[in-house]
Structures are given as structure tokens and as C-alpha cells.
Amino acid sequence: MLTPKTDVRTYAGFRLITILCLIILYAPLVVVTISSFNASKSITIWEGISFRWYVDVFTGPESEKFKTAALNSFSIAIIAATVSTAIATSAATAMVRGGRFKLRTVSFGLISLPLMVPEIVTAVATLIFFNAIGFTRGYLTILVAHIAFCIPFAYLPISARMQGIEDSFEQAAMDLYATKAQAFRRILMPLMMPGIISGFLLAFIVVT
């Protein structure tokens, strides 16, 4: 017998909790947006509406620095999200489709470690590591650090999507003389695409 699906919206207090969550998530963004139009240099003192800060960003004396910073941030976000998604896809394939192997639990723990460790601890540890190996700090170090940090965020939706795909699809493809690579590229990859896109977007958001 099939169990009827339960609509969570019927639970008491669902609407109130939803509204409260939305307020907690978006209220700070609204406050920051409003404060960006404040003519005062202090965020605690309101002196009227002004576009001076937006003008300074694009035409002010330090506008080139802002443009360079924005370009660097965007390029790092794109590259880090792309590389971390590729690594996460490979890791999810090994963890979900690779069967039982030694150090599987340890590997999963290493992948999930950045999620459990506070960001400031990860940042300080990464800085110490780069200094220890003599890696010159700059664009490349920031990129490597963000790639390592984004891997678990991309891994989770990709792994969840792959776990929901029956391996019978790949077996059927190989029964029709497809190689493992062809079965992965033509069968598994298209089915995984929603998870891969979700992982990429999540990694991109985390970086930005």
C-alpha cells in the first residue's frame, strides 16, 4: 500500500516559521541595501538619500581598485566553482559508484571536513600551510583555497543526485555494448546534470 504524501503546509505554525525564516535571511540584505543610499559616512547616522557611494565606485579616485577587485572576485568565483564541481563530480562517482574500498569513510570525512570546521579556522590553517611551503600569497593562493573550500558544497547535491539514480541504467547501456566511459558520458552524466548544476551554483554562491 502506498503511503499518501503529507503536505508540510498543513502543520500548525508552518506559515509563521516560514515568514520568520524569510525575515532572518533577507532582513540584513534589506538593511545593507538601504544603508548604501545613506549620504552619511556612518551607517548609524542617516543624513538623507544619496548616490554618492555608487558614483565613487565607478568614477571615484579609487574606482580602478574596485573594478580590479570585482573582476578578480568574479574570475575566482567562476574558476573555483568550475574546478570544485569537476572534482566533486569525480569524488561522488568514486564514493557512490565505486563500491566498497579501503579508507572510504576517511575519504568522506576529508570531503566533509570544511563543512564542520569554522571558516576562520580553515582560513588560518590554509594561510599557515601556504607560509610553511613557501607559496607566495596572491591570486593563485586565493583560488586554491576557495577550490578546496567549495568542494564539499558542490559534492553534496551531486552525491545526492547520483544516489537517486539506479545503476540499472548503466548496466543496460553496457549490456548493449557500451563501454563504462560511454555509459557514464551518455547515460549517467545527463541524469546527474541537475545535481551538477546545483553544485556549481552553490559553490559559486559560497565563493561570492
Side-chain angles (χ1 to χ4, degrees):
M1 178 182 294
L2 295 176
T3 304
K5 294 183 178 180
T6 303
D7 190 351
V8 295
R9 291 175 295 181
T10 60
Y11 286 105
F14 174 81
R15 187 185 300 275
L16 177 62
I17 294 175
T18 302
I19 295 174
L20 182 61
C21 289
L22 291 175
I23 292 175
I24 293 175
L25 287 173
Y26 293 103
L29 298 179
V30 174
V31 172
V32 171
T33 302
I34 295 175
S35 299
S36 67
F37 295 99
N38 185 8
S40 173
K41 293 184 178 180
S42 174
I43 61 174
T44 59
I45 301 175
W46 182 262
E47 295 183 356
I49 297 176
S50 174
F51 292 93
R52 58 177 294 191
W53 309 119
Y54 291 96
V55 174
D56 283 346
V57 167
F58 293 101
T59 61
E62 296 185 353
S63 60
E64 289 301 322
K65 293 182 180 180
F66 291 128
K67 293 176 183 178
T68 302
L71 180 60
N72 289 338
S73 297
F74 184 75
S75 61
I76 288 174
I78 291 292
I79 298 173
T82 302
V83 175
S84 61
T85 301
I87 297 174
T89 302
S90 302
T93 303
M95 297 292 289
V96 179
R97 288 292 194 267
R100 294 288 178 180
F101 57 89
K102 292 182 179 180
L103 301 179
R104 185 175 185 272
T105 303
V106 176
S107 300
F108 180 76
L110 289 175
I111 294 174
S112 305
L113 191 61
L115 295 175
M116 298 179 287
V117 178
E119 296 180 8
I120 184 63
V121 176
T122 303
V124 173
T126 305
L127 178 61
I128 294 174
F129 172 74
F130 286 149
N131 287 335
I133 64 176
F135 201 178
T136 304
R137 295 187 300 274
Y139 183 94
L140 185 58
T141 55
I142 296 175
L143 179 60
V144 172
H146 279 86
I147 290 173
F149 183 74
C150 288
I151 289 175
F153 292 95
Y155 172 84
L156 291 178
I158 296 173
S159 176
R161 176 58 181 167
M162 184 176 288
Q163 289 174 359
I165 301 173
E166 298 290 339
D167 57 0
S168 58
F169 293 103
E170 301 156 81
Q171 294 174 3
M174 287 186 286
D175 286 341
L176 296 173
Y177 305 104
T179 63
K180 288 185 177 180
Q182 290 173 333
F184 177 82
R185 187 176 65 255
R186 298 184 179 182
I187 304 299
L188 188 58
M189 184 66 74
L191 294 174
M192 289 172 53
M193 197 53 63
I196 294 175
I197 295 175
S198 299
F200 174 84
L201 294 176
L202 184 58
F204 181 82
I205 291 172
V206 168
V207 176
T208 55

